[in-house]
Amino acid sequence: MWIVRAYHHTYGLPVLTTNCSNNYGPYQFPEKLIPLMILNATRGKALPIYGDGMNVRDWLYVSDHCAAIRVVLENGRVGETYNIGGWNEMPNLDIVHRVCGLLDEFQPNPEGPATRLITYVKDRPGHDRRYAIDATKIHRELGWKPAETFETGIRKTVQWYLDNMGWVENVASGAYREWIGKQYSSEP
């Protein structure tokens, strides 16, 4: 990013920079928190929570992120940086509880609530306690704010993953690597 901004200041390259908070929604790689919790819960596997689960993140629904980028491209001031946030700061443990509640609603498990699978694991060294983003500028200058609340976005997200478990299983299996190998192989 610094080299792009240097070209802007030195040569007048017209640039716009955005920074965002944690995205969630359809097609997110299953190693990330929300899809991992959905996938593991549907398989009856442990839902691993780092440390005490109180690491706070701001969550932004992916289509809101895309809409914000469009607004910045259309109306942003050249050379400026805009932070894109969801105004949804929550501890990871709260996120997992919400996902579990939706899974219990959409696909009740006769073995009990999904929260029974929550397992605390050793925290990563140097794991940030909080990621925060101040998205006041994009709202004040460009009038943008997220269309989705966390409640509406997480509901859509959980339902999407449940409706698209074939995609999730394919990605989680690593089968996409074979497709990439076939498509980009130098052999005929």
Side-chain angles (χ1 to χ4, degrees):
M1 176 174 74
W2 62 267
I3 197 162
V4 171
R5 295 191 57 74
Y7 264 75
H8 167 71
H9 291 293
T10 305
Y11 302 109
L13 181 70
V15 300
L16 295 160
T17 304
T18 64
N19 301 308
C20 71
S21 54
N22 283 21
N23 279 218
Y24 69 100
Y27 295 104
Q28 191 173 32
F29 201 79
E31 72 177 6
K32 297 299 183 183
L33 178 67
I34 292 171
L36 178 67
M37 296 301 118
I38 297 166
L39 181 62
N40 279 11
T42 59
R43 291 176 168 176
K45 293 174 66 177
L47 306 180
I49 305 292
Y50 283 126
D52 62 4
M54 298 311 290
N55 302 69
V56 175
R57 305 290 181 261
D58 179 52
W59 295 91
L60 175 65
Y61 191 68
V62 67
S63 64
D64 283 331
H65 188 190
C66 295
I69 291 170
R70 273 190 227 100
V71 167
V72 170
L73 286 170
E74 292 168 0
N75 303 311
R77 288 184 291 131
V78 170
E80 289 297 313
T81 298
Y82 296 93
N83 291 336
I84 305 169
W87 287 284
N88 292 306
E89 281 192 38
M90 284 177 253
N92 288 345
L93 186 58
D94 288 0
I95 300 299
V96 174
H97 276 274
R98 288 177 189 227
V99 168
C100 287
L102 289 168
L103 290 169
D104 293 342
E105 177 185 336
F106 295 153
Q107 285 188 347
N109 187 322
E111 293 180 30
T115 53
R116 78 188 188 291
L117 300 169
I118 292 175
T119 305
Y120 294 91
V121 298
K122 186 177 178 182
D123 208 349
R124 298 186 324 230
H127 194 192
D128 293 316
R129 193 67 167 167
R130 178 175 178 241
Y131 295 156
I133 197 158
D134 181 358
T136 305
K137 180 179 177 179
I138 192 171
H139 179 66
R140 183 184 66 243
E141 290 187 15
L142 305 180
W144 179 86
K145 64 179 185 176
E148 298 291 341
T149 64
F150 187 77
E151 289 71 26
T152 62
I154 196 66
R155 179 171 281 278
K156 288 178 181 181
T157 300
V158 171
Q159 190 63 64
W160 186 89
Y161 280 94
L162 293 175
D163 291 345
N164 293 279
M165 287 307 288
W167 177 89
V168 177
E169 295 287 348
N170 190 40
V171 170
S173 75
Y176 68 93
R177 290 187 199 110
E178 292 174 26
W179 182 88
I180 289 171
K182 287 178 186 174
Q183 300 303 314
Y184 298 102
S185 172
S186 59
E187 297 178 20

